Amino acid sequence: MAGDRPLLSPGSPSSEHSRDIAEEDALLTGQPTHRNHDGPRTWKFWREIGLLVWAIIATVLVVVLAVVYQKSVPAKEPESASGKRNLVFMVSDGMGPTSLSLTRSFMQFQNGAPFNEQLVIDQHMIGQSRTRSASSLITDSAAGATAFSCAQKSYNGAISVTPDHEPCGTVLEAAKKAGYMTGLVVTTRITDATPACFAAHVNMRMEEDRIAEQMVGDYPLGRVVDLMFGGGRCHFLPNSTDDSCRADNKDVVELAKKNGYNYISDRKAFDGLKGGRALKFPMLGLFAETDIPYEIDRRNENDLYPSLHEMAEVALKALSEATKDSDKGFFLMVEGSRIDHAGHHNDPAAQVHEVLAYDKAFTSVLDFLDKDSTQGIMVSTSDHETGGLAVARQLHSTYPEYAWYPGPLSNASHSAERLHQEYQNYLESNPSSSAKRTFLSDSIEKGLGIKDYTGTDIQLLLDDPDHALYTYAELVSRRSQTGWSTHGHSAADVNIYSSDPKAAAALVGNHENTEVGAFLREYLEVDVEAVTKELREKGTNLMATGANGTTIGWMGPVPEEGERLDGQTHLASYSGEFRKRGAVHGRGCDCGH
Ligand SMILES: *[C@@H]1O[C@H](CO)[C@@H](O)[C@H](O)[C@H]1NC(C)=O
Ligand SMILES: *[C@@H]1O[C@H](CO)[C@@H](O)[C@H](O)[C@H]1NC(C)=O
Ligand SMILES: *[C@@H]1O[C@H](CO)[C@@H](O)[C@H](O)[C@H]1NC(C)=O
Ligand SMILES: [Zn+2]
């Protein structure tokens, strides 16, 4: 249709024989065409008018376009010309697409919101990430985070090392070298796999003592993290103190201070940072001995532990203040670490509160980017799905009802983890059997808000206290008809979100997790390969102490052969595992994540 032609189309209308001037007018004015059958004089008259209008409109358009162009070039132009930018990378550990369905329905139920009400994060989805590692179709968080930090696949358990046990430089290390400021904000131990992968290199993720030392700068690159907020204090304290979980008597808090860190360890000191305005870099804030409690429990202990969004907001404020006069911005990683744990525990009530807390932190980051004058972007994704979560559950052998009930999640005021801990503590006082029954009834009624439990439920908790965690969680799962297929991870694709789908265009669609890692380094324009080279050169003859006092390489012991499967195609094959029984009961919760 002629009417669909762009006004300033290069093909001059007059060059087209089939179109006369009236049509041309119609094009310019948007008025319908009236074929003109008047004499030549009138025709000439209208032709001149047409040309005049055309000239005026063209002139006005040129002027308007020039003005609009000048205005539309943002005030940020001088900064982006010098390359200044901020990158916030958010990780929702263990959050699969189904976690969003679960949490969205729960939110609507709780708020009495209509069914089209979304979470904030829902409105920013741009793609999906495929999560397999080099050693398995099901990744762990170590290989998952190595894909982000190094943009490389490695084996499950690898903390930014390659399958052949060489260190790979990380985006955070490269950002630091390039003059950016850097930060890590998590709700788990700061030494856990996801944060560790940005600022440490070890062959086995369970070596958290070694990771703690490296993260405060005791490794080939020296200090690279300007700000750390999270839990995991016990890995920093010498084994001579009560709160320690270290195998040795090294005082890593002292080591951190020697390397310049300002150390804080409680809510009061966190509040003393005055929203970030009083924060002094470098900063190490460890607010819990191990993990910060689940949000479902923490919200009642707000005087003891900061929330994820509070920590994120303080970090954003302080980092942007500190880089105000710099030509480089900052790189901040924010992790909703314990969505994964709620998946491992198969605890749907704990999970929805973790996802809501993540959504809140996500909103804080969006607000910051909106208001900040430096150009910046947030990319958010998960390392993998946990639990094989289904918002459905077949409870009986008859054809299932199509039903899922948020109510039981809303009734629960505590996590199964917390009830389990309280039960274990209670057992230490050697209570009588009837006292135990009363205690357990109370914990179910008050902790989970469940009224219709049975004697069988209590008996299960009495008989198998080591599995109380799973039993408590199961009470909520069955009533809400929430399904879980594993206490571990699954191979599901996970979602990718961004504050800016245009700037993150490379991540729109379905991608390999390593492409997320590649995007991070490309956005910051940092040289990660140079860091890899430096790590390998400086680390060649660098030794450390092994668990039994022997001398080993600085990245610690190498895992058994079976754990370091290599390459993109090597996968373990089926060998009759389904027959293996046992190890289902009588074993405590193995929360290896
Ligand atoms: C504490 O660590 C030292 C080595 O640093 C070790 O000799 C000692 O056995 C450890 N003590 C405990 C209680 O683990
Ligand atoms: C949830 O709490 C309400 C109010 O106390 C109660 O009526 C309901 O039975 C509870 N749900 C379950 C599954 O026990
Ligand atoms: C010390 O541990 C290493 C592995 O970390 C092992 O190969 C070695 O045999 C151990 N040495 C002693 C004396 O136990
Ligand atoms: Zn996990």
Side-chain angles (χ1 to χ4, degrees):
M1 284 298 295
D4 292 337
R5 254 187 108 87
L7 275 183
L8 298 176
S9 122
S12 158
S14 59
S15 71
E16 289 181 45
H17 304 298
S18 62
R19 189 180 291 139
D20 66 16
I21 196 71
E23 274 182 278
E24 198 172 317
D25 272 352
L27 278 176
L28 292 169
T29 61
Q31 297 302 313
T33 305
H34 299 289
R35 274 194 177 268
N36 194 324
H37 297 293
D38 291 349
R41 244 183 75 200
T42 322
W43 186 90
K44 195 180 171 200
F45 173 71
W46 285 113
R47 195 177 103 108
E48 271 165 16
I49 292 287
L51 283 175
L52 184 67
V53 169
W54 165 249
I56 290 169
I57 288 178
T59 310
V60 166
L61 269 175
V62 166
V63 171
V64 165
L65 280 178
V67 170
V68 165
Y69 179 71
Q70 263 189 342
K71 290 236 163 137
S72 73
V73 173
K76 295 170 185 174
E77 176 63 20
E79 274 168 2
S80 59
S82 74
K84 182 168 181 178
R85 59 196 61 180
N86 298 326
L87 171 58
V88 183
F89 181 49
M90 295 190 71
V91 179
S92 43
D93 199 309
M95 183 176 83
T98 315
S99 302
L100 277 308
S101 319
L102 184 87
T103 307
R104 194 183 310 115
S105 299
F106 172 78
M107 174 275 287
Q108 290 166 0
F109 174 84
Q110 246 196 346
N111 299 355
F115 67 81
N116 61 355
E117 185 120 331
Q118 292 178 297
L119 302 171
V120 174
I121 193 170
D122 285 328
Q123 300 156 43
H124 298 273
M125 194 181 92
I126 62 166
Q128 284 202 314
S129 165
R130 306 189 295 269
T131 64
R132 67 156 296 182
S133 72
S135 62
S136 175
L137 285 176
I138 300 181
T139 188
D140 80 326
S141 290
T146 298
F148 302 144
S149 62
C150 293
Q152 287 188 51
K153 298 272 187 190
S154 195
Y155 58 92
N156 288 4
I159 301 293
S160 288
V161 296
T162 58
D164 54 354
H165 304 292
E166 291 286 346
C168 50
T170 76
V171 61
L172 183 145
E173 292 166 334
K176 181 68 187 172
K177 292 263 168 213
Y180 288 89
M181 289 195 72
T182 61
L184 299 171
V185 171
V186 304
T187 50
T188 179
R189 308 172 307 284
I190 196 79
T191 49
D192 197 16
T194 308
C197 278
F198 288 89
H201 304 270
V202 301
N203 292 309
M204 293 162 75
R205 60 175 292 173
M206 65 279 264
E207 290 230 304
E208 293 188 41
D209 291 355
R210 191 182 309 284
I211 290 169
E213 296 162 35
Q214 292 191 11
M215 289 181 90
V216 299
D218 193 12
Y219 88 132
L221 302 182
R223 196 185 70 217
V224 296
V225 198
D226 295 308
L227 179 150
M228 285 181 261
F229 282 158
R233 201 163 56 220
C234 75
H235 288 287
F236 292 74
L237 301 173
N239 70 1
S240 52
T241 61
D242 283 348
D243 292 346
S244 174
C245 54
R246 284 189 72 84
D248 62 23
N249 59 5
K250 272 189 203 161
D251 188 338
V252 183
V253 168
E254 272 314 305
L255 182 61
K257 287 180 180 166
K258 216 180 79 200
N259 288 344
Y261 280 100
N262 298 282
Y263 171 69
I264 61 172
S265 61
D266 57 25
R267 174 83 208 206
K268 196 160 164 270
F270 178 80
D271 291 341
L273 302 175
K274 301 199 183 318
R277 280 170 287 124
L279 188 150
K280 290 200 175 57
F281 286 101
M283 162 57 56
L284 175 64
L286 302 175
F287 306 114
E289 225 177 283
T290 58
D291 298 323
I292 293 177
Y294 278 129
E295 181 62 22
I296 191 174
D297 303 316
R298 191 210 66 82
R299 59 192 178 152
N300 302 315
E301 296 163 346
N302 195 37
D303 54 331
L304 295 179
Y305 308 98
S307 67
L308 180 62
H309 78 92
E310 285 175 306
M311 293 193 289
E313 283 168 18
V314 168
L316 289 166
K317 173 78 183 164
L319 286 167
S320 75
E321 278 291 308
T323 51
K324 196 174 56 192
D325 301 320
S326 168
D327 63 350
K328 286 286 190 291
F330 61 81
F331 170 74
L332 173 65
M333 194 283 289
V334 177
E335 185 192 34
S337 320
R338 304 205 66 206
I339 301 169
D340 171 64
H341 297 186
H344 281 287
H345 294 167
N346 289 6
D347 183 343
Q351 171 132 127
V352 291
H353 288 279
E354 288 306 295
V355 174
L356 287 175
Y358 187 76
D359 200 47
K360 227 169 171 178
F362 189 98
T363 309
S364 299
V365 173
L366 286 180
D367 288 348
F368 169 84
L369 291 171
D370 258 6
K371 293 189 185 114
D372 197 57
S373 60
T374 302
Q375 70 164 320
I377 191 173
M378 176 254 282
V379 169
S380 163
T381 192
S382 308
D383 44 2
H384 53 76
E385 196 268 354
T386 303
L389 171 63
V391 189
R393 177 147 178 171
Q394 180 154 1
L395 294 172
H396 310 286
S397 59
T398 50
Y399 195 75
E401 295 165 68
Y402 292 165
W404 181 73
Y405 305 113
L409 273 52
S410 176
N411 274 27
S413 58
H414 291 74
S415 66
E417 177 188 67
R418 176 58 61 88
L419 298 178
H420 176 89
Q421 282 161 356
E422 287 175 354
Y423 182 30
Q424 304 302 320
N425 294 345
Y426 181 68
L427 287 177
E428 280 175 20
S429 67
N430 274 318
S432 70
S433 159
S434 72
K436 272 193 274 186
R437 280 178 192 279
T438 312
F439 176 90
L440 291 169
S441 304
D442 262 20
S443 73
I444 294 176
E445 284 181 36
K446 296 199 183 109
L448 301 178
I450 290 175
K451 310 279 190 272
D452 62 350
Y453 60 94
T454 65
T456 316
D457 296 326
I458 302 284
Q459 198 59 45
L460 200 54
L461 288 164
L462 282 172
D463 291 348
D464 190 4
D466 287 350
H467 273 88
L469 171 57
Y470 292 168
T471 306
Y472 281 123
E474 177 75 345
L475 290 171
V476 180
S477 290
R478 287 186 75 86
R479 281 165 180 77
S480 56
Q481 295 190 205
T482 305
W484 303 93
S485 43
T486 174
H487 278 104
H489 300 172
S490 81
D493 290 355
V494 293
N495 292 345
I496 304 175
Y497 304 87
S498 179
S499 58
D500 186 345
K502 282 208 187 82
L507 296 178
V508 169
N510 185 274
H511 295 274
E512 211 49 62
N513 55 4
T514 46
E515 295 174 64
V516 176
F519 176 83
L520 302 180
R521 59 177 64 181
E522 281 158 21
Y523 183 78
L524 292 178
E525 294 179 339
V526 292
D527 187 355
V528 184
E529 298 319 317
V531 176
T532 300
K533 199 155 162 272
E534 184 178 344
L535 280 167
R536 291 181 187 190
E537 277 165 12
K538 290 187 173 165
T540 306
N541 296 310
L542 193 62
M543 302 310 266
T545 313
N548 55 14
T550 53
T551 298
I552 51 170
W554 69 279
M555 297 186 300
V558 164
E560 298 297 311
E561 191 65 35
E563 290 179 64
R564 48 186 165 116
L565 297 172
D566 196 352
Q568 300 290 315
T569 52
H570 187 155
L571 286 176
S573 54
Y574 172 70
S575 58
E577 278 89 349
F578 90 101
R579 290 179 197 279
K580 291 180 195 159
R581 300 239 167 122
V584 173
H585 273 260
R587 202 169 54 106
C589 159
D590 172 15
C591 306
H593 313 315

